[in-house]
Each structure stands twice: as structure tokens, then as C-alpha cells.
Amino acid sequence: MSKVKKKRNTFKYNVDRKKLHCQEKKKMAPRIKCDQIRNAWDEKKSVAINLAEMGLAADPNKALPITKNMGQASKEKNKFVKKPHVIEEINALASLSSRTTMGVSIDMKQFVTYMVENYGEDCKAMARDEKNYYQKTPKQILRKIKFFRQHYPKEYEALLSSQMQQ
């Protein structure tokens, strides 16, 4: 039997070690999702100092310590906030309404318009229709109609008025 030859470790001269170290450091750093904090962040400073300059707390226990006399006003330390715009931007962003609405698909819109045009409010007849491919029950169809009515009230009223005229 022949011996297994070991490959010698060779030094790679064409690799920039300093650049590799910096790239690894960037990968290890956490990704800050908040745009305001990310833009105001200083890589050369520590986390606690960065947050203190923005007016944020790194440790909530130190920011609002629990004392024996909680009823009395506690003396706050004078904080030196260098970047107050960060808190203002975060508060402005938080005050905006973040209501997400679900859209109505085109297929559902066509299904509901077809059913309302042909049957009006009769959900039992809608359930027996041949266009009801997925065999929705009357309650499921009624739920779809209510959802459509909630998102498109003008179109729904136009459907009902055209159905009444016929």
C-alpha cells in the first residue's frame, strides 16, 4: 500500500489580509434595520455612546432605575444628546398610521361581480352556480361579497342598482 501524501500549507501572497479582516468585521456586525439609527451611527464609537448621543438607552434599567420612592419625582441626569433629530424622525415615523389593507384579486372581483349581477343577494343560488368552480358554500360567498363591498363600495352599489333595474 502506498502512503497518502499530505499537501503542504502554502502562504497565499496574492490575498490582502487586511481587506479580508475588514470584510469579516462587516459581516459580523449586526444589520441595523431602522434607517434613522443606521444613518446616524458612528462605527468608531461603542454601542452605548452611539445610543446615548441619539438620546436612546442601551440599558433600560440604567435609564429608568427602580427606586424605593417611585411616587416622588426622581432626579434625572443631564444627558448630552448630540443627535436629537434621530428621536424626532422615529417619533414622526411612529405617529404615521401603518394600516395595511389586503387587496382584492382580479379573479375574486370577476367572481363577485358575476354572482351579484346574476343572483343579487341569493347566496344559496350562487353556491349552486356552475361558475362556482371551487364549490364555495353560501357563507363563504357571502364573506367574499362583504369583503368586496368593503373595498369597492361604489362599484358594489353600481352592481346592485344595475341588478335592480333589470
Side-chain angles (χ1 to χ4, degrees), residues 24-35:
E24 287 298 320
K25 208 172 176 183
K26 281 185 182 177
K27 286 181 185 176
M28 295 290 286
R31 178 82 174 129
I32 301 170
K33 291 182 181 177
C34 182
D35 294 331

Side-chain angles (χ1 to χ4, degrees), residues 6-63:
K6 290 186 179 179
K7 200 172 188 179
R8 290 175 64 196
N9 290 337
T10 56
F11 187 79
K12 297 177 185 175
Y13 290 98
N14 59 346
V15 176
D16 188 359
R17 303 274 173 210
K18 191 174 183 182
K19 190 185 266 186
L20 276 176
H21 180 69
C22 288
Q23 287 174 352
E24 287 298 320
K25 208 172 176 183
K26 281 185 182 177
K27 286 181 185 176
M28 295 290 286
R31 178 82 174 129
I32 301 170
K33 291 182 181 177
C34 182
D35 294 331
Q36 294 81 11
I37 294 174
R38 189 179 341 114
N39 293 335
W41 198 265
D42 189 4
E43 295 292 332
K44 296 172 185 168
K45 296 178 182 174
S46 69
V47 174
I49 293 172
N50 266 316
L51 292 175
E53 285 181 351
M54 292 178 213
L56 301 171
D59 186 9
N61 294 325
K62 289 181 183 176

Side-chain angles (χ1 to χ4, degrees), residues 19-118:
K19 190 185 266 186
L20 276 176
H21 180 69
C22 288
Q23 287 174 352
E24 287 298 320
K25 208 172 176 183
K26 281 185 182 177
K27 286 181 185 176
M28 295 290 286
R31 178 82 174 129
I32 301 170
K33 291 182 181 177
C34 182
D35 294 331
Q36 294 81 11
I37 294 174
R38 189 179 341 114
N39 293 335
W41 198 265
D42 189 4
E43 295 292 332
K44 296 172 185 168
K45 296 178 182 174
S46 69
V47 174
I49 293 172
N50 266 316
L51 292 175
E53 285 181 351
M54 292 178 213
L56 301 171
D59 186 9
N61 294 325
K62 289 181 183 176
L64 297 169
I66 299 172
T67 58
K68 291 180 182 177
N69 301 328
M70 286 300 288
Q72 298 174 356
S74 61
K75 297 178 183 176
E76 289 187 24
K77 297 177 184 176
N78 291 333
K79 295 181 182 178
F80 190 67
V81 179
K82 290 183 181 177
K83 302 172 186 175
H85 62 89
V86 176
I87 292 178
E88 293 167 4
E89 290 173 4
I90 290 173
N91 285 336
L93 190 66
S95 66
L96 295 174
S97 63
S98 62
R99 192 181 247 186
T100 56
T101 58
M102 290 176 49
V104 179
S105 68
I106 296 169
D107 295 334
M108 186 177 143
K109 201 174 179 181
Q110 290 173 347
F111 175 76
V112 170
T113 52
Y114 170 78
M115 292 296 180
V116 171
E117 283 175 353
N118 291 336

